[in-house]
Amino acid sequence: MRRKLVAGNWKMHGALARNQALLSVVAGRMAQMPGVDCAVCVPFPYLAQTQHLLRDSAVQWGAQDVHQQAEGAYTGEVAASMLCDFGCRYVLVGHSERRSLYGESSQLVAEKFAAAQKAGLLPILCIGETLSQRESGATEVVVAEQLDAVIKLLGARSLRDAVLAYEPVWAIGTGKTASPAQAQAVHAFIRQRVAGLDADVAQGLRILYGGSVKAANAAELFAVPDIDGGLIGGASLVADEFLAICNAGQN
Ligand code: PEP
């Protein structure tokens, strides 16, 4: 059985005092939840604080983006090795906000995925369709293209050391959640596509669902067979909400 992972994506939110209060509560309560993995993906400037507060806890941490090159003249960018220096285990790549607001292509996202893995990080590859793509029946084509860019660059076995997050763009930050059946259909499609290349990798692959997950809907989403946890935006900023979602993910 795949162990569930609940990962928070703080996006561009946070402040030293608020982070301290949130992380202390989360770290304390996660000690009582051995049946689920938990992580927070925080803004770069808070990685040192997060490492300090979570170092001896059951909660892991990561970043929200990484540059595709190992180092160089890329003003304002952050390399994977720098994330390792601050104890990151995970890094998001290809979040829909990066794809839509910063024009990140699937090819670039695949290169970021490669850079993260090369440094020893576990990339969380975010994929998902917009509302118009869903309404025109293109969900599977879109998700396949985003996934295949990584498989083409690195092979299906690269997914052994990674996590996928299916996040329908129309459900992110909107309060509209995919129904468990809608999410399951896409998760099953993703797993079958990977299984067509490598059955073992597909069987072990954790596919998170993201898009307006909250305490009130987490349990029904996590109950379907191919959802292996959640990528949580807004609700990850509220300790009780986030912890209730983690609790729903316990095996
Ligand atoms: C996200 O940012 O990945 C996300 C799923 O956000 P929210 O939970 O707020 O919809």
Side-chain angles (χ1 to χ4, degrees):
M1 184 184 231
R2 291 177 295 272
R3 193 174 154 83
K4 287 197 172 53
L5 167 65
V6 176
N9 171 20
W10 286 8
K11 312 195 192 208
M12 198 173 72
H13 295 289
L16 286 173
R18 251 195 290 151
N19 304 345
Q20 162 121 32
L22 176 59
L23 291 175
S24 309
V25 175
V26 169
R29 298 254 296 276
M30 284 313 298
Q32 267 74 62
M33 290 193 218
V36 63
D37 288 341
C38 173
V40 288
C41 295
V42 307
F44 296 132
Y46 299 131
L47 283 173
Q49 182 194 26
T50 301
Q51 180 180 34
H52 174 72
L53 290 169
L54 298 184
R55 184 178 310 208
D56 298 318
S57 80
V59 183
Q60 294 177 313
W61 61 94
Q64 300 169 15
D65 187 27
V66 65
H67 197 265
Q68 67 275 21
Q69 298 294 338
E71 67 176 334
Y74 302 103
T75 302
E77 295 291 337
V78 173
S81 61
M82 299 172 188
L83 303 182
C84 294
D85 278 346
F86 289 92
C88 288
R89 175 155 178 77
Y90 297 102
V91 62
L92 305 181
V93 294
H95 190 280
S96 69
E97 287 152 17
R98 302 290 321 168
R99 292 180 192 263
S100 67
L101 300 174
Y102 304 100
E104 292 193 3
S105 65
S106 295
Q107 172 63 28
L108 175 62
V109 171
E111 290 169 19
K112 290 183 173 208
F113 181 107
Q117 276 194 337
K118 197 164 175 209
L121 297 162
L122 292 183
I124 301 178
L125 172 66
C126 304
I127 59 180
E129 81 289 359
T130 63
L131 185 58
S132 63
Q133 288 165 334
R134 171 163 284 262
E135 285 174 348
S136 66
T139 297
E140 291 187 354
V141 173
V142 170
V143 163
E145 185 273 331
Q146 294 171 340
L147 177 62
D148 290 356
V150 167
I151 294 173
K152 191 165 162 227
L153 185 67
L154 298 166
R157 280 197 91 68
S158 68
L159 297 172
R160 211 176 30 177
D161 299 312
V163 176
L164 289 189
Y166 168 59
E167 298 203 298
V169 179
W170 48 272
I172 297 179
T174 58
K176 284 186 206 151
T177 317
S179 68
Q182 280 174 320
Q184 168 59 24
V186 182
H187 282 232
F189 167 76
I190 293 166
R191 199 177 306 283
Q192 275 157 21
R193 194 166 184 89
V194 177
L197 299 166
D198 192 316
D200 285 347
V201 170
Q203 182 56 32
L205 181 62
R206 291 198 286 191
I207 309 176
L208 313 184
Y209 169 77
S212 297
V213 178
K214 32 191 185 291
N217 60 20
E220 58 175 15
L221 285 161
F222 294 170
V224 303
D226 285 296
I227 294 185
D228 306 308
L231 182 56
I232 318 299
S236 71
L237 299 169
V238 182
D240 284 346
E241 274 284 310
F242 187 58
L243 287 161
I245 295 167
C246 293
N247 193 37
Q250 289 215 82
N251 287 334

